[in-house]
Amino acid sequence: MTVNLAPGAAGQPPIVIEPGRPWTALDLRAPWEYRELLYFLTVRDIKLRYRQTFLGVAWAVLQPVAAMLVFSLFLGRVAGVTSSGVPYPLFAFLGLVPWMFFSNAVSGASNSLITSSNLITKVYFPRVIIPAAAVLAGLVDFSVSFVVLLALLVYYGIPLTGGVLLVPLLLGVLVLLAFGVGTWMAGLNVKFRDIRYALPFVVQLWMFASPVVYPRTLVPERWQWALRLNPITGIIEGFRAALLGRDFDWPLLALAAGITLAIALYALLAFARMEEGFADVI
């Protein structure tokens, strides 16, 4: 649709207002221009995460370790779930470390706009920086947990191979997925406050729909297609292959990266569409 307004001085063409194309809402230059603010917000979120806590950063280790012990007892011993020839505690921990980062990052990002409402209503900056900072703050927990994971590899006598060089790439895909899901949920949470109650339940179901504490081969063949469409599947399988010295499932990893990129782009577009009304409803 086109709207012609009255022209100005003689000889000047009329002003034409046309609807923008869907992708024009994306402005990737603005977040880069505010990268220093992203850094300071990330540092702020890290400090707030451990402020007035007794154990501090130790929570980054206790969460996956406690979950590993519980799953090792009930799934590894009681239920007898196989772990592809790997000691089950190590197998579970390899899945829990990236999953814990994803779960906590999505949870933190989804609530980040609500907790930063005073900042949003007073100062202009690209709002997408707020959920991005919440996701990046979770890298501290991931780093601490990853050190424990390396210690477990040494304990079980599993040497590192060249595949470990792909861990940064896998982590990058994981961060992008957490950013995409978290940013989308953050925007929806401003408009629909029941998102904060539904999201933990959905994330919990997502965990059991992913090969976090069980091998992918345990899923019946007729449901393997759904498992492959879950981007977490390719990422966690990639982490296990990288750290256990196994062959990578490159098609699965490429599919996970493609779906992650699509989710991130859609989240940015949806967030940009919702951003204009944040200050009014937050």
Side-chain angles (χ1 to χ4, degrees), residues 227-246:
L227 202 62
R228 295 177 70 88
L229 289 178
N230 180 357
I232 285 291
T233 299
I235 296 172
I236 289 181
E237 290 292 300
F239 270 100
R240 288 188 173 125
L243 294 171
L244 295 176
R246 297 182 173 180

Side-chain angles (χ1 to χ4, degrees), residues 44-51 53 56 104-105 108 134-141:
R44 181 204 65 171
D45 287 349
I46 293 173
K47 292 180 179 179
L48 290 176
R49 185 186 297 264
Y50 302 113
R51 179 176 295 177
T53 58
N104 292 334
V135 172
L136 293 177
L139 289 174
V140 174
D141 288 0

Side-chain angles (χ1 to χ4, degrees), residues 149-183:
L149 176 56
L150 294 178
L152 275 178
L153 290 171
V154 173
Y155 175 79
Y156 284 107
I158 298 179
L160 295 178
T161 63
V164 73
L165 298 177
L166 290 178
V167 168
L169 175 62
L170 294 167
L171 179 59
V173 177
L174 182 62
V175 169
L176 184 61
L177 179 61
F179 168 74
V181 177
T183 299

Side-chain angles (χ1 to χ4, degrees), residues 63-77 81-101 145 148-149 152-153 156 158 207-208 210-215 236-237 239-240 243-244 246:
Q63 281 186 311
V65 168
M68 176 193 69
L69 294 176
V70 171
F71 286 119
S72 297
L73 175 61
F74 289 99
L75 293 183
R77 293 198 175 187
V81 174
T82 60
S83 52
S84 304
V86 181
Y88 185 84
L90 176 60
F91 178 86
F93 203 73
L94 276 166
L96 286 168
V97 168
W99 174 258
M100 287 289 184
F101 166 79
S145 300
V148 178
L149 176 56
L152 275 178
L153 290 171
Y156 284 107
I158 298 179
M207 173 183 172
F208 289 105
S210 309
V212 177
V213 293
Y214 59 84
I236 289 181
E237 290 292 300
F239 270 100
R240 288 188 173 125
L243 294 171
L244 295 176
R246 297 182 173 180

